[in-house]
Amino acid sequence: MNAEIIAVGSELLLGQITNSNARFLSSHLAEIGINVYYHTVVGDNAERLKDAIEIAESRADLIIFTGGLGPTKDDLTKETIARHLGTTLAMDEEALESIVAFFDRAGRFMTENNKKQALVLAGSEVLVNNHGMAPGMLYKTDSHLYMLLPGPPKEMEPMFQFEAKPKLAKILNKEDVILSHVLRFYGIGEAELEDRLQDILDSQTNPTIAPLASDGEVTLRITAKTNTEQEAWTLIDGAKAQILERVGQYLYGYDDDSLASKTVELLKEQSKTISAAESLTAGLFQSELASVPGASAVLAGGVIAYNEEMKIEHLGLPQELLKEYGVVSEQTAVAMAEGVRERFQTDISVSLTGAAGPDAHGDQPAGTVWIGIATAEETTAYRLQLSGMRNTNRLRAVKLALSYVIRTLTDGNARKI
């Protein structure tokens, strides 16, 4: 089965939001053996959407729509599809009850146009929306399968994963087991990773190995297709062993792990706490950790000391140290890490100071970053020279700091990346 994903929404074309839905759907469709050859984005215009549907029908069996299921006039996806297919819209009573209940719980007045969200294609299989209001739907004709999903990722992702994906697998009636396992690496570029694994990548058949780079990280998705789950994992484990033998030192996690979630996981496992002193990143490091559920068990707190006075007052840095070595220095990074660890009484602490750019900081060029890691045993500082834009450097510094914490927690010391 071949699929095309059509994202509906003028805000996508205007660059106001990113089409993350297409990435998510393509990834999950690949896991059940559905090929995605085209991504289409169309604005809130019925004629242009109709044209996009006709083009998609000429080259795909499954057409998935995201967006345009809301209550306003520019939400026209299902109306346009209904006209195109020669069917009508019908009120789904369960969806309507769910929408009414939502407004009752919120204590808000429900306007008449909100009922529009409960309309579905007559004869379609309804996909329940447990995280929003507009239901999805699956509509079959003799030649095509049409799937309509809401636009907001927080609604679309769980609907597809738990409602739509199992139905697609059943429609395909595949007896094969298709399993994927993702390896996550940090501190090595995509080109270098591929170079080290080139012969493995060139000879892959089953399982297949697909590299992907994003935000400074590199992932490898290993996908096996067999008759049983046990056989699939045997193939995956064999490929994984080969890969880790060569680049295992850069591995930090698997599947849905992130640098932040892995850091929290390791801290919990070791019953350790962490604190942070942030200058360059102004709270981004702590924010990244706090985005992980359960982070409060390990994140004690921290200090945002953006200027020299705050570093002296809240972290106890000697004025003479700052005068002699400067804010962007190894000595300052060490003193910040030790100062915050002492004040918050944590097992490990992190400091981030640097010149984010675009201007230099004194004699330190833009992109110069120092990261300090303090434990009860030792304090180490790492110098980085980043070359991105200001906020890119700040975000990358956070990820590098998280990776150093992971290395410290797993190896006892943070290998220089």
Side-chain angles (χ1 to χ4, degrees), residues 218-289:
V218 185
T219 63
L220 289 177
R221 179 183 291 274
I222 308 173
T223 302
K225 180 179 178 181
T226 60
N227 294 320
T228 68
E229 188 171 326
Q230 183 177 355
E231 290 175 1
W233 276 115
T234 298
L235 289 173
I236 289 171
D237 287 340
K240 182 166 74 172
Q242 279 187 293
I243 291 166
L244 296 185
E245 186 177 351
R246 300 189 190 182
V247 291
Q249 68 268 37
Y250 298 102
L251 180 84
Y252 79 81
Y254 300 100
D255 297 322
D256 294 328
D257 285 339
S258 67
L259 287 163
S261 71
K262 192 65 181 178
T263 300
V264 171
E265 177 189 319
L266 289 169
L267 287 166
K268 284 183 175 180
E269 286 177 358
Q270 298 178 24
S271 300
K272 291 183 176 178
T273 55
I274 190 169
S275 57
E278 300 185 63
S279 178
L280 162 85
T281 48
L284 282 176
F285 179 87
Q286 294 168 77
S287 177
E288 193 71 12
L289 280 181

Side-chain angles (χ1 to χ4, degrees), residues 284-306:
L284 282 176
F285 179 87
Q286 294 168 77
S287 177
E288 193 71 12
L289 280 181
S291 70
V292 180
S296 60
V298 297
L299 177 59
V303 174
I304 299 172
Y306 210 68

Side-chain angles (χ1 to χ4, degrees), residues 173-184:
N173 195 27
K174 289 194 172 223
E175 294 183 2
D176 297 325
V177 172
I178 301 174
L179 277 181
S180 290
H181 187 44
V182 176
L183 312 184
R184 297 190 172 275

Side-chain angles (χ1 to χ4, degrees), residues 12-31:
L12 293 164
L13 294 174
L14 293 170
Q16 295 170 346
I17 62 172
T18 303
N19 186 15
S20 61
N21 287 340
R23 176 195 56 76
F24 175 88
L25 289 169
S26 291
S27 173
H28 281 266
L29 289 167
E31 290 180 1

